[in-house]
């Protein structure tokens, strides 16, 4: 069994991320709620690419990460697998 540890350097981007300053309500909305505000905040964030890389590498299945919803990350993952 192989277990990967997440190190502090792997998540250092989170300290500068705009979501850390805004709260989780926008990024983890109730089912059926809009993610528009979260995506707007992500679009302004310098940590966006690191956030998306983290979400994809760690198979984050809930919330908005790197400006993409769960469904959008799933489509991205599938398209990368088909290349």
């Amino acid at each position: 069994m192989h277990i990967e540890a997440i190190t502090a350097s792997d998540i250092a981007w989170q300290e500068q991320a705009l979501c850390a300053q805004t709260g989780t309500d926008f990024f983890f909305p109730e089912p059926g709620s809009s993610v528009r505000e979260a995506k707007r905040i992500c679009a302004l964030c310098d940590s966006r690419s690191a956030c998306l890389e983290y979400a994809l590498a760690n198979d984050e299945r809930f919330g908005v990460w790197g400006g993409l919803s769960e469904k959008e990350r799933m489509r991205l993952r599938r398209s990368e697998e088909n290349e």
Side-chain angles (χ1 to χ4, degrees):
M1 181 167 84
H2 183 260
I3 298 174
E4 290 186 37
I6 297 174
T7 64
S9 64
D10 292 337
I11 57 173
W13 57 268
Q14 289 181 352
E15 292 178 10
Q16 283 77 39
L18 291 178
C19 60
Q21 302 164 30
T22 336
T24 61
D25 292 345
F26 293 120
F27 302 93
F28 296 94
E30 294 294 322
S33 297
S34 174
V35 295
R36 184 179 303 126
E37 188 64 22
K39 288 182 172 193
R40 187 186 68 74
I41 294 168
C42 289
L44 301 171
C45 185
D46 292 336
S47 300
R48 183 177 176 189
S49 60
C51 178
L52 180 57
E53 286 179 32
Y54 175 86
L56 294 172
N58 293 283
D59 198 25
E60 289 290 345
R61 298 194 182 205
F62 302 101
V64 175
W65 291 80
L68 299 181
S69 68
E70 299 99 334
K71 290 179 183 178
E72 291 167 329
R73 288 192 308 277
M74 188 182 307
R75 280 193 295 264
L76 178 63
R77 200 175 287 115
R78 286 181 184 153
S79 69
E80 288 176 348
E81 289 172 358
N82 291 328
E83 290 181 357

